[in-house]
Amino acid sequence: RPKWTLQPTVTEPVELREWQLMGLPADEFTSDSAVIARLSPKWPLCIDPHFQALRWIQQVFQGRAQITKPSSWKAREKLVLCLQDGCPLVVEDVRGEVPAFLNVVLLRRREEEKAFLFMDKSVSVHQDFQLFMSTPIAHTQFQPATYTVVSVVNF
């Protein structure tokens, strides 16, 4: 009996090969993780102890991705700019729980809404906006509610 795999079911082999040329390891597990991160209806939270996902995301978006940490005082500002301009936002070093300022985005599925209130301002959402979160902790534990709003993907 042939073994079923996720990648050929939901992505083209050419796209997968392009991702590998951009630094994604060629193993089946990592390829499946990348497919889930890109195609899930929820925003991905990547468990990424070797920074494979982070390097790959930076390559896929050719340096356009804005990178921030939950503790950064500019994180909220970067979120608004990325939402409006359609730049990908990577929130790295998420530990324990997802930053509260992301809740307004996380509670909406990808492509669900075109505008919403954030920090008492109406923010329009560009169709190209992407959000990625990552944690370097391999055996991290999140609150159960976290799993309802993000796709936890192990890289």
Side-chain angles (χ1 to χ4, degrees), residues 42-133:
K42 297 178 188 176
W43 300 112
L45 172 54
C46 303
I47 298 173
D48 192 24
H50 303 290
F51 304 100
Q52 294 173 331
L54 193 57
R55 284 192 301 270
W56 170 67
I57 292 165
Q58 289 173 325
Q59 287 296 315
V60 166
F61 294 106
Q62 301 170 351
R64 289 188 9 237
Q66 296 291 314
I67 299 173
T68 190
K69 293 186 178 193
S71 59
S72 171
W73 61 275
K74 286 195 168 201
R76 288 169 183 78
E77 182 180 312
K78 281 189 177 186
L79 173 62
V80 171
L81 289 173
C82 289
L83 282 165
Q84 293 174 333
D85 295 342
C87 293
L89 177 65
V90 179
V91 180
E92 64 178 358
D93 205 27
V94 173
R95 295 172 185 257
E97 61 184 60
V98 174
F101 74 91
L102 291 176
N103 284 343
V104 70
V105 177
L106 296 177
L107 294 175
R108 292 156 176 80
R109 294 185 181 268
R110 293 181 177 186
E111 304 174 15
E112 186 174 90
E113 293 194 24
K114 303 298 178 211
F116 53 83
L117 282 176
F118 181 69
M119 295 172 35
D120 297 328
K121 293 181 189 174
S122 178
V123 177
S124 59
V125 181
H126 192 282
Q127 67 183 12
D128 294 334
F129 172 73
Q130 295 282 318
L131 174 65
F132 298 90
M133 295 159 284

